[in-house]
């Protein structure tokens, strides 16, 4: 699952750092991925969010190294973040104006940031980093708790690619080259997915694996309903492409009622 695939090391399947999967080793190279920092990728996200937030304030769940938050702040939007990984936040802080963005360290499913916001956003498939339904529901409730009346929660996430999985199989290869092998391992009973990455370095294989919980658009709508929000818009991408039966992902916006 390439767009989801931010690998990290595991130790017998368990996370070994407080920073979660985005520890120092991952943070050190996160910004080296030119594709996700390409202005052609960033600009439509920033334009969409700036337009939604208007004169209000924005809160990013999983702000990371500020890939979206910094250019959004440069558009004049007041941005805050909640983030689990101190290593990722250290990279944000080291960038020009990065120290001006307030970040609360914690789990975005449960952690509170100061103030109320006109938009909360969670991009780049990061809802899938919450690996239980209960945690994903808690994330929606937490987003709603941070929104002012009429405010919006925005998620960018892939549509589960189960049509690529032959009946009875559990592995889908997403990369196969001389030096990189990538496989997604599906658990269709638990709605789980582990992305495995093997990198061949000097003839030796280094393994990285990261677990996700894939989630359907309709299930997200129900989570929003449980959190007191309703679907306002669903697009196939940040440029407001139509969402269709063949869309690989979606940008969805749920609204908190005006009261
Ligand atoms: C794929 S990165 C995206 C970072 C940034 N939003 C971007 O678009 O580049 C996911 C980020 O979410 C953070 N994260 C994952 N699960 C989290 C959780 N439960 N609570 C807080 N942060 C979390 C990770 O540490 C990482 O920085």
């Amino acid at each position: 699952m390439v767009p989801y695939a931010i690998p990290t090391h595991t130790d017998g399947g368990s996370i070994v750092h407080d920073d979660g999967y985005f520890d120092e080793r991952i943070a050190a190279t996160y910004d080296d991925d030119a594709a996700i920092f390409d202005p052609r990728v960033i600009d439509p996200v920033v334009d969409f969010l700036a337009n939604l937030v208007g004169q209000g304030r924005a809160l990013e769940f999983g702000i990371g190294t500020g890939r979206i938050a910094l250019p959004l702040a440069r558009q004049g939007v007041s941005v805050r973040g909640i983030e689990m990984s101190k290593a990722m936040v250290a990279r944000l802080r080291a960038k020009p104006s990065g120290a001006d963005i307030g970040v609360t360290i914690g789990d975005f499913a449960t952690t509170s940031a100061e103030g109320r916001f006109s938009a909360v956003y969670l991009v780049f498939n990061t809802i899938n980093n919450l690996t239980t339904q209960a945690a994903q529901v808690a994330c929606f409730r937490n987003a709603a708790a941070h929104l002012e009346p009429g405010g919006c929660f925005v998620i960018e996430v892939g549509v589960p690619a189960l049509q690529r999985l032959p009946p009875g199989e559990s592995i889908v290869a997403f990369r196969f080259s001389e030096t990189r092998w990538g496989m997604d391992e599906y658990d269709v009973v638990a709605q789980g997915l582990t992305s495995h990455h093997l990198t061949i370095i000097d003839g030796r294989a280094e393994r990285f694996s990261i677990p996700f919980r894939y989630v359907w658009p309709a299930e997200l709508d129900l989570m929003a309903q449980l959190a007191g929000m309703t679907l306002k818009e669903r697009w196939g991408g940040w440029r407001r492409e139509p969402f269709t039966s063949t869309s690989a992902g979606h940008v969805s916006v749920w609204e908190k009622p005006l009261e």
Side-chain angles (χ1 to χ4, degrees):
M1 193 162 61
V2 175
Y4 296 46
I6 308 299
T8 191
H9 57 109
T10 58
D11 178 8
S14 55
I15 304 172
V16 291
H17 292 287
D18 287 348
D19 279 354
Y21 283 90
F22 292 77
D23 63 7
E24 179 56 36
R25 187 152 63 132
I26 299 303
T29 56
Y30 186 84
D31 285 24
D32 293 349
D33 186 347
I36 63 170
F37 284 84
D38 188 324
R40 285 170 298 183
V41 173
I42 304 272
D43 291 353
V45 186
V46 170
D47 289 348
F48 187 103
L49 293 171
N51 184 50
L52 186 72
V53 177
Q55 300 302 306
R57 302 173 69 221
L59 175 64
E60 179 165 0
F61 281 178
I63 192 169
T65 64
R67 184 179 68 97
I68 302 301
L70 280 170
L72 186 59
R74 282 197 291 275
Q75 294 273 331
V77 175
S78 167
V79 187
R80 269 199 75 88
I82 297 177
E83 169 60 53
M84 172 187 284
S85 168
K86 295 190 190 76
M88 294 289 274
V89 174
R91 294 307 189 292
L92 164 64
R93 294 257 174 275
K95 294 179 184 177
S97 305
D100 300 340
I101 295 186
V103 179
T104 306
I105 297 294
D107 180 347
F108 56 61
T110 53
T111 301
S112 297
E114 207 177 300
R116 288 291 167 268
F117 299 84
S118 41
V120 176
Y121 64 96
L122 176 58
V123 300
F124 200 15
N125 302 309
T126 303
I127 185 72
N128 296 138
N129 286 73
L130 299 171
T131 55
T132 66
Q133 188 185 58
Q136 292 179 349
V137 169
C139 173
F140 270 78
R141 291 203 162 111
N142 200 29
H146 283 90
L147 288 172
E148 55 198 25
C152 292
F153 183 34
V154 183
I155 280 188
E156 173 198 27
V157 66
V159 174
L162 289 196
Q163 285 178 338
R164 296 191 60 211
L165 190 67
E169 301 290 333
S170 61
I171 307 286
V172 173
F174 60 81
R175 178 176 288 148
F176 187 77
S177 72
E178 281 294 307
T179 54
R180 300 283 299 272
W181 299 353
M183 282 151 278
D184 282 335
E185 181 183 9
Y186 283 86
D187 179 346
V188 293
V189 175
Q191 211 165 302
L193 165 59
T194 303
S195 288
H196 301 287
H197 302 254
L198 286 165
T199 308
I200 317 295
I201 304 166
D202 296 332
R204 288 175 55 84
E206 197 170 304
R207 179 185 159 193
F208 304 95
S209 297
I210 182 167
F212 299 100
R213 179 180 191 271
Y214 60 83
V215 60
W216 302 95
E219 190 184 4
L220 291 169
D221 291 342
L222 193 56
M223 292 180 187
Q225 191 184 318
L226 290 171
M229 299 185 285
T230 50
L231 183 68
K232 185 181 180 209
E233 300 171 14
R234 172 161 291 136
W235 304 103
W238 292 105
R239 292 184 176 83
R240 294 187 163 74
E241 299 90 334
F243 180 68
T244 71
S245 62
T246 57
S247 295
H250 58 104
V251 174
S252 295
V253 182
W254 298 272
E255 190 171 36
K256 183 170 171 170
L258 277 169
E259 291 176 339

